[in-house]
Amino acid sequence: MQDLSGRSVGRYRIVEKLGAGGMAVVYKAYDTRLERDVAVKLIRLEAFPPEVVEHMLKRFEREAKALARMDHPNIVPVYDYGEYEGAPYLVMRFVQGGTLKSRTGKPVHYQEAARLLVPIARALDFAHRQNIVHRDVKPANILLTTSGEPMLSDFGIAKILETGEAATLTGTGGGVGTPEYMAPEQWLNQISPQTDIYALGVVLYELVTGCKPYTADTPAGVLLKQASEPLPSPRNFVQDLPKAVEEVLYKALAKKPEERYLSMQDFAAALELLARGVAQGETATEMSSETPVATTQILEDSTVTLDDRASSLMPFLAQSASLPESPQHAVVPHAQQAKRKLSKWLLYGGLGIIGLCVLAGAIWAAINLFPALMANITQKTPLPSADLITPAAQMDTEDQPVATVPVEAAPSRDELKIAVLAPLSGAVPSFGVSTRDGVQMAIDEWNDRGGVLGKKIVPMVMDSQCAPDPAVQAIHAAIDDGVRFVIGEVCSVASIPVAEIANGAGVLQISPTSTNPGVTVDANGKTRAFVYRACFIDPYQGNVMARFAFDYLNVRSAFVLRDVENAYVVGLADSFAQSFSQMGGKVVGEAAYTAADTDFNTILGEVAAAKPEVIYLPDYYNIANLVGAQAKKRGIWVPFLGGDGWDSEDLDLKAVQGGYFTNHFAPEDPRGEVQEFVKKYTDRYHKPPDALAALAYDTANLMLIAIQKTGSDDPRQVAEMLQPMEFYGVTGAIRFDDQHNPQKSAVIMKVRDDGVHFEMIVNP
Ligand code: PHE
């Protein structure tokens, strides 16, 4: 395939080739619409026989959609897919720091190896829960961000290409999986989560020992070994490798799928223990002196007072006297030193063992060639034998007790996970993107300053689709995963059922944007102790719009539209209608619809007949787009008024041109902290922040400050800390009332054909 550099593939301008495999070429490209770098993976059409191409394209499309829904911080996100001259392509995030392959070839300390693989195991577990098996886990598919964070890529590519592979590649000796990392049963096309466990086990083996367990000149040779040869003892390569590490390797690399870890979650838990140094023969003192440990562990000892970083936090911290003096914050003074120590250690460790792969390989060959010899050698040096595959049995015979690796998931001591429930798919995906990005930016800033309570903050972004069922599923999955802090959902209809669950489970939830009162207060009028929000509520928002219409637009008649199935829309419509009437205005007509409706002509006929001066349509932007466009088409130019749900880069400006909506934030706000935030955000994401991004940013800061001030990550204590707290964010000041609602002022935005513009601030 020719090099496409300089060409345009859809809206992506190809910059340069990054790499090429048998079936696909990966390019660095520039997304001209969103103005950011991306990676474009273009399938080589010529690698497939014509008969299978059509079928493959269909599969590709289906799989791309499944992949796009898979949102996990350690999975390279898929942004888009398309077709270029008949060949399908995937558009993914561009990750800059190389791949894990660069770390192979010489032994990496087992703790470091496990630390690198824990997030990958978690990502795979996340995928397995959605019935997606990766099938091609290997170092080359584990990308490293510039900060060294591992990210799994090429998700499901193997599955997508399966048809083509079956037809062509077996003949050429290729294979979709990579032979060295393929479980024995994968050759028989028996794919299960266990297949990925095996492959990740091979990666761990390779990192820890510096060698792949099975190599041969041909794929068939590798297959034979995977299926029949016992695992070469990792201690052949690293003599002082703790037994617990070997035990994990033997279990992950068991020949029979059912003898491996029962789930990726179990494997992840075992890796987490290894990452923390829970391995036989290593005492705590040993670990703290010479062995490399995660930077966050080192950081726990060093604290500085608030003054050192007060300036960067100032917008968010109460400047009033209610702020306790000098809270302690962990910082990173020794991080550099620690890193240097780490690489030195790796270098020495590496040098000492280099070359051993070859030697051990030779011994290994000898053993296999001369079985008689094997008996002799195994007596002297414990070399692999069949029963070693059942590690427990073997270990029991050793004199020293072995630290068992529990199967239960153990939350990592050095991480604070925050679930982010964001609608990344469904009717309003732009809400999800802004929310995710706003939270991510705040968390990155905290992590750059050393995290919270000495822990690294890890967002778990989950696609909750602005709908009750997926949101409920997401919160259950998060809780199962040990998460105790939740940001989200965006939409009230999703936040309400989540609130019920979070509150019951003692999990702290702050919704950045859900404005329906029923989020923080339950059906009996009782405030949920564990649920807060960072925005004003709908009775206020509806009232503000009524005031604006009555006092500033000077209108006296309005038509009100309601999605009767959406609590957010109903709440806003009701409060607007009530306030407007009380002021002396007249609601000259009302109409009901549901999200399933697409044809609004009948309703618009009623609107035209009622001759209102304004139409209140407090729904999400997708509905505003639909109704607005149909109205303009019919020649109805009465201005539409809306609520915060209109706030999206996907709002169709033409459809609701001339209208106004209430909102939480305007990038034009001249306050210094707002301008600083707008600049940072725009530099990073190449577009200005909307209200959701700003509220998400504030919410993450609010939550983390509360945790920091509490000095503990016990959600109950943090919730209690929040109640009286004062917080100044980019969306304004927060002080909670006894229903956990902040009183904030609203802004009115005007929709013009060239964009959405700040009109005025309305105070309560
Ligand atoms: N307030 C909306 C709700 O409660 C969500 C939303 C907020 C949407 C801000 C867009 C912008 O459902």
Side-chain angles (χ1 to χ4, degrees):
M1 177 182 276
Q2 90 245 55
D3 189 341
L4 295 178
S5 299
R7 299 256 205 111
S8 280
V9 168
R11 65 188 222 221
Y12 307 98
R13 203 168 59 232
I14 302 295
V15 179
E16 59 183 330
K17 197 190 260 185
L18 294 172
M23 287 165 292
V25 190
V26 182
Y27 292 99
K28 179 180 178 180
Y30 185 71
D31 179 343
T32 52
R33 189 179 307 161
L34 293 176
E35 299 177 351
R36 60 180 175 184
D37 291 331
V38 293
V40 170
K41 180 159 195 156
L42 190 67
I43 305 304
R44 289 171 183 266
L45 214 50
E46 70 276 13
F48 301 90
E51 321 84 82
V52 306
V53 165
E54 196 193 329
H55 183 73
M56 193 193 67
L57 289 180
K58 280 208 190 93
R59 266 195 90 106
F60 186 88
E61 177 173 337
R62 206 168 60 228
E63 291 295 331
K65 284 180 182 160
L67 292 181
R69 271 197 294 276
M70 222 168 26
D71 208 72
H72 186 278
N74 298 97
I75 295 176
V76 177
V78 169
Y79 294 145
D80 194 7
Y81 73 92
E83 232 180 276
Y84 176 75
E85 295 182 351
Y89 63 85
L90 269 189
V91 183
M92 297 166 291
R93 177 187 298 165
F94 177 63
V95 180
Q96 212 147 16
T99 79
L100 196 62
K101 213 170 164 186
S102 64
R103 303 288 300 265
T104 59
K106 57 176 193 273
V108 170
H109 189 269
Y110 77 87
Q111 263 181 285
E112 168 71 357
R115 191 191 64 75
L116 282 164
L117 296 187
V118 166
I120 299 301
R122 291 271 171 233
L124 284 165
D125 178 46
F126 175 82
H128 292 169
R129 284 165 198 266
Q130 300 176 50
N131 291 322
I132 295 179
V133 176
H134 188 290
R135 298 171 181 223
D136 198 14
V137 176
K138 58 179 174 182
N141 281 341
I142 298 173
L143 310 186
L144 299 169
T145 65
T146 37
S147 56
E149 190 72 15
M151 295 194 82
L152 193 54
S153 86
D154 266 7
F155 227 99
I157 294 288
K159 194 170 174 202
I160 293 165
L161 298 177
E162 191 187 22
T163 331
E165 173 237 352
T168 66
L169 292 172
T170 35
T172 66
V176 161
T178 309
E180 282 85 355
Y181 302 91
M182 274 166 77
E185 76 277 11
Q186 193 170 352
W187 294 87
L188 305 171
N189 224 358
Q190 289 164 5
I191 307 289
S192 71
Q194 258 58 33
T195 331
D196 284 348
I197 291 177
Y198 186 94
L200 192 63
V202 177
V203 177
L204 179 66
Y205 188 105
E206 187 178 7
L207 283 175
V208 167
T209 65
C211 309
K212 297 184 186 76
Y214 306 104
T215 50
D217 293 339
T218 61
V222 179
L223 155 67
L224 213 74
K225 287 189 178 179
Q226 302 269 23
S228 58
E229 281 186 3
L231 189 70
S233 169
R235 288 208 193 177
N236 288 353
F237 309 106
V238 182
Q239 262 133 35
D240 56 352
L241 194 70
K243 285 203 187 68
V245 182
E246 271 204 331
E247 201 179 343
V248 170
L249 284 168
Y250 280 114
K251 189 157 175 85
L253 290 170
K255 306 275 178 223
K256 294 188 185 149
E258 64 274 17
E259 283 172 8
R260 295 175 206 144
Y261 287 98
L262 290 178
S263 67
M264 192 54 92
Q265 188 184 5
D266 293 349
F267 191 14
L271 285 169
E272 254 165 26
L273 283 181
L274 295 188
R276 284 151 53 183
V278 184
Q280 198 237 344
E282 291 217 345
T283 64
T285 25
E286 268 173 345
M287 278 174 47
S288 63
S289 59
E290 269 314 316
T291 37
V293 291
T295 1
T296 34
Q297 276 177 303
I298 297 169
L299 305 181
E300 275 173 0
D301 311 338
S302 31
T303 50
V304 297
T305 58
L306 176 66
D307 299 346
D308 294 270
R309 42 181 258 181
S311 54
S312 58
L313 271 181
M314 234 36 214
F316 312 111
L317 285 173
Q319 285 132 7
S320 69
S322 68
L323 180 71
E325 273 177 17
S326 300
Q328 303 280 295
H329 293 281
V331 287
V332 198
H334 301 310
Q336 293 305 68
Q337 229 177 308
K339 270 192 206 136
R340 240 175 281 137
K341 213 188 223 176
L342 180 100
S343 44
K344 214 166 94 186
W345 192 95
L346 289 174
L347 182 68
Y348 293 158
L351 283 179
I353 307 171
I354 265 172
L356 267 186
C357 287
V358 183
L359 185 62
I363 295 174
W364 189 235
I367 291 163
N368 285 290
L369 287 172
F370 307 106
L373 191 70
M374 190 167 150
N376 274 326
I377 299 177
T378 41
Q379 272 165 19
K380 290 173 199 140
T381 356
L383 276 171
S385 61
D387 57 356
L388 255 183
I389 296 170
T390 318
Q394 170 70 21
M395 298 300 179
D396 284 345
T397 65
E398 302 280 329
D399 352 313
Q400 284 177 313
V402 176
T404 43
V405 178
V407 181
E408 283 299 299
S412 163
R413 191 160 56 93
D414 303 311
E415 284 183 356
L416 181 98
K417 283 192 204 155
I418 298 180
V420 183
L421 269 45
L424 289 154
S425 68
V428 285
S430 90
F431 288 172
V433 172
S434 294
T435 304
R436 176 193 64 193
D437 291 352
V439 169
Q440 185 71 55
M441 192 166 110
I443 288 181
D444 285 351
E445 289 173 7
W446 276 78
N447 281 334
D448 285 349
R449 298 188 298 244
V452 70
L453 307 175
K455 299 180 196 209
K456 181 177 170 207
I457 306 144
V458 180
M460 278 180 54
V461 182
M462 308 175 95
D463 179 10
S464 41
Q465 297 177 37
C466 183
D469 288 349
V472 163
Q473 265 177 30
I475 183 71
H476 280 310
I479 292 172
D480 287 352
D481 213 26
V483 175
R484 290 176 303 158
F485 295 91
V486 178
I487 293 177
E489 227 258 7
V490 168
C491 303
S492 295
V493 287
S495 285
I496 293 170
V498 167
E500 193 59 31
I501 295 164
N503 199 55
V507 166
L508 180 69
Q509 175 194 4
I510 308 181
S511 170
T513 46
S514 289
T515 41
N516 187 281
V519 175
T520 53
V521 174
D522 69 17
N524 304 316
K526 198 161 165 277
T527 302
R528 295 187 171 107
F530 288 91
V531 183
Y532 286 78
R533 83 178 89 223
C535 52
F536 52 64
I537 55 172
D538 289 331
Y540 167 72
Q541 185 177 193
N543 180 39
V544 163
M545 186 44 93
R547 269 261 143 260
F548 175 75
F550 194 89
D551 286 348
Y552 291 89
L553 298 179
N554 220 5
V555 300
R556 295 293 176 266
S557 60
F559 198 103
V560 177
L561 297 179
R562 258 188 204 81
D563 176 345
V564 283
E565 289 175 357
N566 186 326
Y568 158 71
V569 180
V570 171
L572 267 180
D574 287 352
S575 48
F576 172 86
Q578 200 190 1
S579 300
F580 191 65
S581 309
Q582 272 168 11
M583 287 164 199
K586 193 163 169 16
V587 176
V588 293
E590 298 186 66
Y593 62 91
T594 72
D597 290 323
T598 51
D599 184 350
F600 288 85
N601 277 297
T602 317
I603 290 180
L604 287 167
E606 292 168 30
V607 172
K611 295 195 170 47
E613 291 165 279
V614 292
I615 307 164
Y616 192 46
L617 175 55
D619 206 327
Y620 301 130
Y621 64 87
N622 59 326
I623 304 295
N625 291 349
L626 200 66
V627 180
Q630 289 179 22
K632 302 263 135 89
K633 211 166 164 197
R634 286 180 68 105
I636 299 175
W637 291 88
V638 180
F640 280 93
L641 306 180
D644 56 353
W646 280 23
D647 185 41
S648 165
E649 59 178 332
D650 292 333
L651 181 71
D652 180 350
L653 300 174
K654 286 220 169 59
V656 287
Q657 188 186 329
Y660 298 87
F661 64 97
T662 41
N663 208 3
H664 308 266
F665 169 85
E668 292 91 341
D669 188 330
R671 284 180 299 143
E673 57 267 35
V674 174
Q675 287 316 305
E676 196 196 316
F677 167 72
V678 170
K679 185 176 180 317
K680 278 190 302 196
Y681 189 95
T682 312
D683 285 349
R684 176 167 175 160
Y685 297 114
H686 310 294
K687 61 182 178 195
D690 57 16
L692 292 126
L695 280 168
Y697 179 78
D698 275 355
T699 304
N701 279 310
L702 172 67
M703 184 177 266
L704 290 165
I705 287 172
I707 293 171
Q708 187 79 54
K709 282 176 80 172
T710 307
S712 144
D713 58 4
D714 170 21
R716 180 178 299 277
Q717 290 178 44
V718 178
E720 280 164 9
M721 173 64 70
L722 273 170
Q723 172 74 70
M725 214 167 104
E726 287 185 47
F727 169 88
Y728 294 86
V730 294
T731 58
I734 288 183
R735 208 169 301 129
F736 293 105
D737 64 17
D738 56 11
Q739 301 196 320
H740 297 178
N741 299 324
Q743 261 113 59
K744 296 167 97 175
S745 47
V747 295
I748 302 282
M749 309 296 287
K750 176 166 189 158
V751 185
R752 294 206 310 240
D753 57 1
D754 65 338
V756 165
H757 299 273
F758 171 68
E759 183 79 10
M760 61 170 29
I761 293 184
V762 182
N763 276 304

